[in-house]
Amino acid sequence: MLVWSRRGRLLTFVLALALFGVLYGLPLGVIALASFAGQWNNVLPSQMTLEHYVNAFRGDSFDQLRHSLVTGCVASLVALVAGTWAALALRRARRLPARVFDAIFFIPSAVPSVSVGLGLLVAFSHKPFLLNGTVWIVLIAHFVLISAFTYGNVTAGLARLPADVEQVAESLGARPGYRLRRVTLPLLAPYLIAAFSLSFALSMGELGATVMVYPPGWVTMPVGIFALSDRGSIFDAAALTMLLAATTLLVLLGLSRIPVRGSAR
Amino acid sequence: MKSPLGTGAAAYRAVAPAADRGSGIAFDGVSVAYGGVTVLEALTLTVNPGEIVALIGPSGSGKTTALRAVAGFVQPATGRIRIGTRDVTDVPPHDRNIGMVVQNYALFPHMRVDENVAFGLRARKAASALVAARVPEALAMVGMAAYARRFPRELSGGQQQRVAIARALAIKPQVLLLDEPLSALDAQIRRSMLDELARLHRELPDLTVLYVTHDQIEALTLADRIGIMRDGKLVAFGPAQALYRHPPNRFAAEFLGRANLLPVTGLEPAADGMARVRFGDVALTARNHHALPAGDECLLCVRPHDVHVEPHADTDNTLVAVVRSIQWQGDTQSVELALGEHVLRLACPPRLTLPGIGDPLPLHFRGTQATLVPVGAALG
Amino acid sequence: MRSGSAGAWVLPPLLLLALLFFYPLLLIVREALGGDGQVPGLAHFGEVLGSRMFRSALWNTMVIAALSTVGCLVLGFVLSVLLAFTPFPGSRMVARLIDTFIALPTFLVALAFTFIYGSAGMINETFVHVLGVARPPVDFLYSQWGVILSEITVYTPFVMRPLLATFSQLDPAQIEVASSLGARALTIVRRIIFPAALPALIAGGSLCLLLTVNEFGIVLFIGAKDVITLPLLVYDLAIQQFDYASACIIAVVNIVLSLGLYTVYRFVLARYGRRRAGLV
């Protein structure tokens, strides 16, 4: 609609494709290629192998996948409950306190993840909160880092709920609990799913805080990928990265398929 | 005719005293303020059981605030609200036993039509037999029985509003609150929904309705009594016809229907509730419904369709005005005339031959069809 | 929930966050200021802030963040205009691909770039094996430029999201009318599209600045010795050298910087409407 001539269109098409190809297609393609590479001493790998994927589904690497999935699910669920709770509670608050609390719930998203990890190390390495060296500290780090995003998504969803619907429910005799269960939460469902998806994706790729706090028994995939690449096993790292990306996208795809009843949108 | 909803007692809900006879609504000096701004000022008004009262007024006049105070969504700063014999001022909305219909329908988009209608019953933990009986009845009342399994988004605006009405009626509310229920519909559907609401009230004569609208036609068609609001105050309240025939002030005269208002002087009371007044040096007669005292200055109100073009020799009420414009509107012609510095409008039959623009036109109205309106400083 | 009791309802999530986030944050500050009284408080603080190590990390962080943000804005604008206003076959798929890119870990790009631009990467191998160049000529990856290029790639989608949202609300008739009045493509971009995009650009840009200041994975994966940023320095001091006191001091500076940028971002959002740039 901006370029009308045939030649101009062809030119912009080529330009767009080249830009997107080099910037986004190439990295994904190269990682995929490297994950199958047996030997790569020339422009392209000279030999292809499935060995790296076999490694990825074996021993440590497979544990890392499990750790990442468990961490992502647990942290996202807790963040979803806490974020939804906070968003619902702030909805009816007076304007000034609501704005202050809103800012407070968003602050974790602004603090660098490494510092979050450092704080947890400092805070939870002694009694009474001795959590350093346990799985809990990893879960806490992930929860803290994603909590602002779930809160933000749910708040945005609440702001977009159709006007009057909840008040009409109340006038029809629905007590607060019943209204929340039967009206507010079902209407919010698409936003809750989106919030969970986002948190889960962020948790799956989290490196900064995890690398600060993880105990030897709970290595997540990003930490494992870094360890592999740091000691030179870059093709194994590539295969594990592919697995991480595929798992994340698969879970997101599954979540996006959850039917939301009669949604107005 | 006995209402189809009348079957089965309202025994499921103990707090609905005498629901079958209908309950009134009473505002007793209700004021509402938002952040220091008074949006409703000391409203005192009673809606009798089984009556339809319409609150009309321009936007920001406080009419919706009054309705939402009955529903419990705004808390009065002062005053009490009663539904039936029960003071509900401090009762939360879900315990007030009201039905509410809003402009944008507000159906629950994730529930089917029948689930929407059943919502209020289920929220009160009604027995499933009662739900199973009441939902089809309510849907049948609004002619939506065939759409029970649809989702709201599959219905047109008019259909959605019917469902919203059925949803409000299904709980057999003590009072029904309608907040601009037809304003989101197109003109044609609005007309048929208006007939539908009138029919509904004939079938449910005990239902008490508070109807908020900015549309005077809706108010005149449906309401037994009309309240006119302005700037948070009730400026006129009375039976629909009386309010139209004898508006108590200028605002009421102009807001409810169209009105010609001529400033007149030298009031002299006459027999049969009539009075003689002077408009400039022309002598006129009109009804003195509000019993204004002799010598008073006031306004003479005459509706455009009560002004006639044919001259009658046997009356004093004759004025000569100059034609300024003529609009042919199909079933009427709307004529605007200049009477000195005043503007006069009249509606006359479409086939009547009228003089051209700028020509003088003798006009006549019956004294019994004109009324004298006081000039109140506050309300003028 | 009536307005009166909202205060009580907000307590559980607030306490959770206080314990798990604000309490550790407070301890970082305490530790930085001398903590248990063993370290001479402010003296050490000044010493660390005066060190070359800290100054170069701060400088690197700001340069990388600023250049990356500028890159993201330019690239994001160009790509969004191409996607929104010159629809080409597959443009919808490309838009979705960019969206999923946000869900992928940031270090993926850094890892990929070592295969492309690294010393033994595809490009250098092409020069060496195909063109017969003696030494690998492409050598920017293990410098701040490698980090910047990676960050531009990763964070451009965060600029594109609000931009595409804005463009989808721009009335196409505006552009058609401008064309019919004789405006050429570049004039339309300059006079109509750019002004409409400005709020989204400002919002997206300030978000980018915040995210790039805090970026850790990319810098870690590129692993260039002389590209140490504040988050990397915190990691280095705490995990490699066990110097928690110094790490906390750097962390405090980093947190203050981030919160400052975050304040700017919130201000921008409030000012230019709440079209949230991507995630936050």
Side-chain angles (χ1 to χ4, degrees):
Chain A
M1 93 178 82
L2 194 57
V3 181
W4 301 98
S5 74
R6 232 186 139 80
R7 247 189 70 210
R9 280 193 180 183
L10 201 70
L11 205 75
T12 49
F13 174 57
V14 170
L15 177 71
L17 226 58
L19 267 176
F20 287 114
V22 168
L23 281 168
Y24 295 99
L26 193 61
L28 286 176
V30 164
I31 292 270
L33 194 64
S35 68
F36 291 106
Q39 261 209 314
W40 194 342
N41 295 326
N42 208 313
V43 180
L44 290 176
S46 47
Q47 202 188 331
M48 304 300 271
T49 176
L50 283 174
E51 194 196 326
H52 311 304
Y53 283 97
V54 175
N55 290 341
F57 282 103
R58 221 168 38 188
D60 287 352
S61 299
F62 190 68
D63 282 341
Q64 290 162 17
L65 174 62
R66 197 165 54 80
H67 298 157
S68 275
L69 277 172
V70 171
T71 309
C73 288
V74 172
S76 302
L77 263 178
V78 177
L80 187 65
V81 172
T84 309
W85 188 310
L88 286 170
L90 283 194
R91 212 166 155 219
R92 297 269 169 109
R94 275 173 242 283
R95 208 198 243 162
L96 186 69
R99 285 179 69 173
V100 172
F101 285 129
D102 186 66
I104 286 178
F105 284 119
F106 268 119
I107 283 181
S109 68
V111 171
S113 54
V114 177
S115 300
V116 168
L118 180 67
L120 293 176
L121 278 186
V122 174
F124 298 125
S125 291
H126 338 264
K127 289 173 182 172
F129 306 115
L130 182 57
L131 298 174
N132 194 2
T134 68
V135 182
W136 294 106
I137 198 164
V138 179
L139 293 178
I140 290 172
H142 282 233
F143 161 75
V144 167
L145 284 170
I146 59 188
S147 64
F149 297 99
T150 45
Y151 168 76
N153 253 315
V154 178
T155 304
L158 277 175
R160 269 175 235 163
L161 284 196
D164 291 346
V165 164
E166 290 175 283
Q167 289 194 343
V168 167
E170 203 177 352
S171 79
L172 288 169
R175 282 156 198 290
Y178 189 84
R179 192 185 62 203
L180 181 70
R181 213 169 61 244
R182 292 293 315 276
V183 179
T184 313
L185 288 180
L187 288 179
L188 215 49
Y191 299 98
L192 297 181
I193 293 171
F196 184 89
S197 303
L198 176 66
S199 322
F200 180 78
L202 287 172
S203 168
M204 287 296 278
E206 212 297 314
L207 182 60
T210 319
V211 90
M212 298 288 287
V213 299
Y214 76 95
W218 197 262
V219 180
T220 61
M221 277 180 113
V223 175
I225 292 168
F226 173 65
L228 283 175
S229 111
D230 200 37
R231 62 168 189 258
S233 313
I234 51 173
F235 301 134
D236 280 330
L240 210 52
T241 306
M242 287 299 288
L243 191 61
L244 170 60
T247 313
T248 308
L249 295 182
L250 230 90
V251 171
L252 296 197
L253 192 71
L255 286 170
S256 72
R257 289 285 164 88
I258 294 178
V260 179
R261 244 186 127 202
S263 127
R265 282 157 290 275
Chain B
M1 175 181 156
K2 179 102 173 97
S3 110
L5 284 182
T7 54
Y12 66 91
R13 185 130 190 97
V15 292
D20 290 298
R21 290 292 319 134
S23 315
I25 305 169
F27 293 89
D28 186 5
V30 175
S31 295
V32 176
Y34 289 127
V37 181
T38 303
V39 291
L40 190 63
E41 209 175 309
L43 176 66
T44 299
L45 181 150
T46 306
V47 184
N48 295 323
E51 187 182 35
I52 299 184
V53 164
L55 285 181
I56 68 172
S59 56
S61 59
K63 56 191 194 300
T64 293
T65 305
L67 178 133
R68 291 170 64 80
V70 178
F73 296 125
V74 295
Q75 201 61 32
T78 58
R80 312 301 297 174
I81 296 171
R82 270 178 291 121
I83 296 177
T85 52
R86 178 169 168 238
D87 185 333
V88 296
T89 317
D90 301 313
V91 173
H94 56 79
D95 272 341
R96 293 196 180 195
N97 199 34
I98 47 171
M100 186 167 156
V101 175
V102 297
Q103 182 177 349
N104 58 15
Y105 333 128
L107 293 179
F108 306 123
H110 58 295
M111 296 182 196
R112 294 177 190 276
V113 165
D114 54 356
E115 293 164 332
N116 262 283
V117 176
F119 183 89
L121 296 168
R122 295 229 167 93
R124 291 144 208 258
K125 304 192 168 63
S128 56
L130 182 70
V131 177
R134 193 68 72 70
V135 170
E137 279 175 8
L139 280 174
M141 286 213 71
V142 295
M144 289 297 290
Y147 298 89
R149 297 306 289 162
R150 299 276 188 95
F151 278 109
R153 68 182 133 86
E154 298 166 338
L155 304 178
S156 70
Q159 290 172 326
Q160 290 192 45
Q161 198 57 297
R162 284 162 194 263
V163 175
I165 292 166
R167 179 176 64 178
L169 292 178
I171 57 170
K172 294 202 72 184
Q174 281 175 277
V175 298
L176 182 62
L177 306 178
L178 301 171
D179 185 6
E180 303 263 8
L182 308 181
S183 300
L185 305 173
D186 349 327
Q188 213 167 359
I189 297 169
R190 199 182 309 173
R191 193 71 235 175
S192 73
M193 280 297 287
L194 201 50
D195 296 343
E196 194 87 347
L197 285 174
R199 176 189 63 77
L200 214 55
H201 196 248
R202 283 196 300 277
E203 291 177 18
L204 300 172
D206 291 334
L207 189 64
T208 309
V209 180
L210 183 63
Y211 191 107
V212 161
T213 179
H214 64 268
D215 185 311
Q216 37 145 331
I217 307 269
E218 288 173 25
L220 289 168
T221 308
L222 287 177
D224 301 308
R225 288 192 293 167
I226 294 176
I228 301 176
M229 309 226 18
R230 183 194 190 187
D231 297 335
K233 294 190 212 65
L234 185 70
V235 297
F237 184 54
Q241 291 202 12
L243 212 55
Y244 183 79
R245 293 214 180 108
H246 306 291
N249 52 53
R250 177 180 210 133
F251 187 76
E254 287 181 327
F255 199 83
L256 200 62
R258 306 186 79 178
N260 292 304
L261 292 166
L262 299 174
V264 291
T265 52
L267 188 148
E268 284 172 45
D272 304 330
M274 302 291 290
R276 278 187 292 278
V277 289
R278 298 197 70 77
F279 174 67
D281 42 1
V282 185
L284 301 170
T285 60
R287 278 193 176 279
N288 189 10
H289 180 82
H290 301 292
L292 302 176
D296 209 8
E297 286 184 24
C298 57
L299 294 166
L300 185 146
C301 171
V302 56
R303 302 284 176 186
H305 52 81
D306 288 329
V307 182
H308 304 288
V309 177
E310 310 89 37
H312 287 242
D314 59 334
T315 175
D316 290 339
N317 284 348
T318 302
L319 293 163
V320 178
V322 178
V323 178
R324 287 226 305 219
S325 72
I326 300 170
Q327 284 178 345
W328 187 78
Q329 294 171 331
D331 49 0
T332 55
Q333 298 184 82
S334 175
V335 186
E336 196 180 287
L337 305 116
L339 189 63
E341 59 186 4
H342 301 283
V343 175
L344 206 66
R345 284 190 187 80
L346 72 92
C348 58
R351 290 185 208 288
L352 192 73
T353 313
L354 290 164
I357 309 289
D359 292 344
L361 184 64
L363 305 169
H364 157 81
F365 60 89
R366 277 175 212 275
T368 50
Q369 289 174 347
T371 193
L372 295 177
V373 177
V375 202
L379 304 171
Chain C
M1 262 178 281
R2 324 231 84 218
S3 60
S5 61
W9 279 100
V10 80
L11 272 182
L14 199 65
L15 288 178
L16 191 65
L17 206 61
L19 175 67
L20 301 182
F21 177 68
F22 288 103
Y23 167 66
L25 215 59
L26 218 66
L27 288 188
I28 291 183
V29 177
R30 205 183 73 153
E31 189 90 0
L33 294 176
D36 326 327
Q38 296 160 348
V39 191
L42 287 173
H44 187 56
F45 202 89
E47 192 183 303
V48 170
L49 294 196
S51 67
R52 264 197 61 195
M53 160 190 86
F54 165 75
R55 290 182 171 202
S56 99
L58 183 64
W59 175 246
N60 278 334
T61 307
M62 303 219 294
V63 167
I64 289 173
L67 291 179
S68 302
T69 300
V70 171
C72 287
L73 287 175
V74 173
L75 189 64
F77 183 71
V78 171
L79 292 182
S80 303
V81 168
L82 285 176
L83 271 182
F85 297 111
T86 61
F88 49 87
S91 58
R92 289 182 63 121
M93 221 190 75
V94 169
R96 197 166 305 164
L97 185 82
I98 301 250
D99 230 29
T100 46
F101 225 82
I102 290 182
L104 296 179
T106 59
F107 58 78
L108 182 145
V109 167
L111 187 62
F113 279 7
T114 58
F115 290 114
I116 304 172
Y117 308 108
S119 50
M122 285 171 89
I123 294 183
N124 278 323
E125 295 291 329
T126 308
F127 276 107
V128 173
H129 284 90
V130 181
L131 303 173
V133 179
R135 293 184 50 198
V138 178
D139 182 29
F140 70 89
L141 189 64
Y142 307 105
S143 70
Q144 59 179 6
W145 298 108
V147 175
I148 290 171
L149 187 68
S150 306
E151 292 194 358
I152 290 176
T153 308
V154 166
Y155 291 114
T156 294
F158 289 78
V159 177
M160 291 179 66
R161 268 195 166 184
L163 272 180
L164 288 174
T166 303
F167 288 164
S168 70
Q169 282 165 13
L170 193 71
D171 185 1
Q174 268 194 50
I175 291 170
E176 286 166 10
V177 168
S179 299
S180 75
L181 291 172
R184 288 171 175 277
L186 280 183
T187 314
I188 294 174
V189 169
R190 209 181 60 228
R191 299 285 301 275
I192 294 171
I193 296 177
F194 183 72
L198 209 54
L201 280 174
I202 292 172
S206 43
L207 177 64
C208 263
L209 209 56
L210 176 66
L211 293 173
T212 49
V213 160
N214 293 349
E215 177 55 40
F216 172 75
I218 289 174
V219 191
L220 185 72
F221 264 76
I222 296 279
K225 282 213 171 47
D226 52 347
V227 186
I228 304 289
T229 60
L230 290 177
L232 204 71
L233 190 57
V234 172
Y235 166 73
D236 212 47
L237 286 171
I239 302 300
Q240 318 282 28
Q241 304 177 30
F242 303 106
D243 182 357
Y244 284 97
S246 304
C248 285
I249 293 173
I250 310 284
V252 166
V253 176
N254 197 357
I255 291 167
V256 168
L257 183 63
S258 304
L259 288 181
L261 288 171
Y262 179 66
T263 311
V264 171
Y265 173 61
R266 292 276 292 196
F267 176 77
V268 163
L269 273 192
R271 174 89 206 273
Y272 294 104
R274 297 194 70 80
R275 188 170 293 126
R276 291 181 183 281
L279 308 172
V280 191

